[in-house]
C-alpha cells in the first residue's frame, strides 16, 4: 500500500498488475471451417468479436464462458471481413470487406442469429464518390470517440469520414500514394487522425486546420508498407506495425513537414506468399524519426495488428502483436 491510506488505490493496482503478464491459456473458444482474419475485444473486455473469411462474424461473451452473443451472416462480402469496429457504446458493429461499403449491425438486440436483411438490418454505408464508378476495398475502419463518425482507409489511397447523422461522406482526403491500410483517431477529441500506408509513411491529420486535405506532418522510418496503427490515446504517441518486420513507437511532436525519401529497396518480394528477404533485415532508414523499434515478430500473409496493453491494468507499459509464426509477441516499452 504505497498510498498510505490503508487501501490500494487505482494507481497501486496498476503498478502491481503491470509487473505481471497472463500465464493461463491459451484455450479454444470456437472451431470454424474457415480462417479468422480479424478479432478484437470490446473496450471493457466483456465481448470478443471475430470475423471469418467465410462471411461470418461471431461475438462471444467473455463473462458467460464464451457463449455466442451474436452470430452474424455478412452481406455483400468480397474475399473476407477486412476489419471490424465496435461503437463506443457497444451498441453497433461496423464491418468492411474489399468493397466500398461498410455495413452496420445492431449487436445488442434480442436476436442471437443475424442474417443480412432478413432477421436483422445490415445498414450499408456507401463510401464511393457520386461521380466515381470505380470500386475499391476498405482495409481499416474506426468509430470516432463520440460514435457519430466512421473513418476508413482504403485501396483508393484515401481516407474517408462518414457522418452517421447526416448519412453521407463529409470528408475525402487523398492521403497517400498507395493503399491506406490503417487509420485511427488520436484521442477523445477525434480532431486528429493517424494514417499508415503501403508507401511506408505514417501521416498526421488535423481536422481543425484550414487545409484539411494536407497532413500537418509526416513520420518516416519504415521501409515497407504499414499494416496497422494504434494510438496511445494521449494525442502524442502511437505505434505502427509494418511489413519490414518491425513495430515503431512514434511521438507526433517529432514529425516533419516534408516527406523524406526512404532507402531504395534492393529486393523484390510479396508479403502475401513470400518470406522476408534476409538481406533486408539489416537495412535502416537514413531519416528514421521513431522513438523506438521492436523486432522479433513476423508480418506476413495478412495485415497483422498491434496494440498498446490496457491502461487500467498495465499502464500501457507493453505492446503486443500477432505474428505469422503462430505466436503473440509482447514487448516492454520501458526496458
Amino acid at each position: 500500500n504505497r498510498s498510505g491510506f490503508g487501501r490500494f488505490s487505482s494507481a497501486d493496482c496498476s503498478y502491481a498488475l503491470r509487473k505481471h503478464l497472463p500465464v493461463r491459456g491459451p484455450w479454444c473458444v470456437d472451431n470454424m471451417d474457415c480462417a479468422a482474419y480479424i478479432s478484437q475485444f470490446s473496450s471493457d473486455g466483456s465481448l470478443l468479436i471475430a470475423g471469418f473469411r467465410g462471411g461470418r462474424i461471431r461475438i462471444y461473451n467473455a463473462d458467460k464462458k464464451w457463449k455466442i452473443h451474436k452470430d452474424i451472416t455478412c452481406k455483400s462480402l468480397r474475399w473476407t471481413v477486412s476489419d471490424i469496429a465496435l461503437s463506443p457504446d457497444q451498441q453497433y458493429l461496423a464491418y468492411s470487406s474489399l468493397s466500398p461499403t461498410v455495413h452496420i449491425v445492431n449487436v445488442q438486440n434480442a436476436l442471437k442469429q443475424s442474417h443480412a436483411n432478413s432477421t436483422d438490418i445490415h445498414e450499408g454505408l456507401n463510401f464511393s464518390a457520386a461521380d466515381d464508378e470505380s470500386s475499391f476495398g476498405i482495409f481499416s475502419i474506426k468509430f470516432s470517440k463520440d460514435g457519430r463518425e466512421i473513418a476508413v482507409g482504403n485501396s483508393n489511397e484515401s481516407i474517408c469520414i462518414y457522418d452517421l447523422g447526416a448519412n453521407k461522406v463529409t470528408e475525402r482526403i487523398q492521403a497517400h500514394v498507395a493503399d491506406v491500410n490503417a487509420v485511427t483517431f488520436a484521442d477523445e477529441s477525434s480532431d486528429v487522425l493517424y494514417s499508415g500506408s503501403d508507401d511506408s509513411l505514417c501521416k498526421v491529420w488535423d481536422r481543425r486546420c484550414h487545409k484539411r486535405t494536407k497532413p500537418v506532418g509526416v513520420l518516416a522510418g519504415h521501409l515497407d508498407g504499414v499494416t496497422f496503427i494504434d494510438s496511445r490515446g494521449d494525442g502524442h504517441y502511437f505505434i505502427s506495425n509494418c511489413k519490414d518486420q518491425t513495430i515503431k513507437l512514434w511521438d507526433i511532436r517529432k514529425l516533419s513537414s516534408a516527406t523524406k525519401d526512404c532507402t531504395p529497396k534492393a529486393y523484390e518480394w510479396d508479403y502475401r506468399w513470400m518470406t522476408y528477404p534476409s538481406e533486408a533485415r539489416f537495412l535502416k532508414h537514413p531519416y528514421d524519426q521513431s522513438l523506438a523499434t521492436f523486432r522479433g515478430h513476423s508480418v506476413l500473409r495478412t495485415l497483422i495488428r498491434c496494440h498498446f496493453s490496457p491502461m487500467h491494468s498495465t499502464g500501457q507499459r507493453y505492446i503486443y502483436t500477432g505474428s505469422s509464426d503462430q505466436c503473440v509477441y509482447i514487448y516492454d516499452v520501458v526496458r
Side-chain angles (χ1 to χ4, degrees), residues 208-224:
R208 297 165 294 186
C209 294
H210 176 66
K211 293 183 179 180
R212 293 187 176 187
T213 58
K214 299 292 183 181
V216 294
V218 179
L219 289 161
H222 280 305
L223 294 169
D224 216 315

Side-chain angles (χ1 to χ4, degrees), residues 29-88:
V29 170
D30 196 4
N31 274 317
M32 298 286 283
D33 57 1
C34 54
Y37 268 56
I38 178 71
S39 67
Q40 71 174 54
F41 278 98
S42 59
S43 58
D44 64 1
S46 64
L47 301 176
L48 172 66
I49 307 120
F52 298 88
R53 186 186 166 191
R56 300 281 289 282
I57 296 175
R58 282 190 169 179
I59 303 177
Y60 306 91
N61 193 321
D63 296 333
K64 295 182 179 179
K65 298 181 179 180
W66 305 100
K67 289 184 178 180
I68 297 175
H69 171 78
K70 195 82 169 178
D71 192 352
I72 300 168
T73 302
C74 299
K75 183 184 179 185
S76 306
L77 195 73
R78 292 188 185 174
W79 179 248
T80 186
V81 177
S82 59
D83 203 6
I84 51 180
L86 196 62
S87 63

Side-chain angles (χ1 to χ4, degrees), residues 224-286:
D224 216 315
V226 177
T227 64
F228 194 75
I229 285 177
D230 186 42
S231 173
R232 196 166 184 262
D234 56 7
H236 296 308
Y237 299 101
F238 71 91
I239 52 175
S240 57
N241 216 352
C242 184
K243 298 173 188 176
D244 64 9
Q245 314 301 297
T246 68
I247 290 175
K248 287 187 178 289
L249 173 67
W250 309 90
D251 184 344
I252 67 170
R253 291 168 291 190
K254 294 186 66 175
L255 54 79
S256 63
S257 57
T259 301
K260 296 178 180 178
D261 294 333
C262 68
T263 303
K265 287 184 181 180
Y267 57 93
E268 291 293 334
W269 80 297
D270 190 321
Y271 92 115
R272 293 171 296 181
W273 58 276
M274 298 172 67
T275 58
Y276 192 65
S278 57
E279 65 270 21
R281 294 183 182 275
F282 304 101
L283 296 178
K284 293 184 178 180
H285 197 295

Side-chain angles (χ1 to χ4, degrees), residues 101 110 113 117 145 159 238:
T101 302
Q113 297 288 333
N117 284 353
K145 300 303 180 181
I159 298 170
F238 71 91

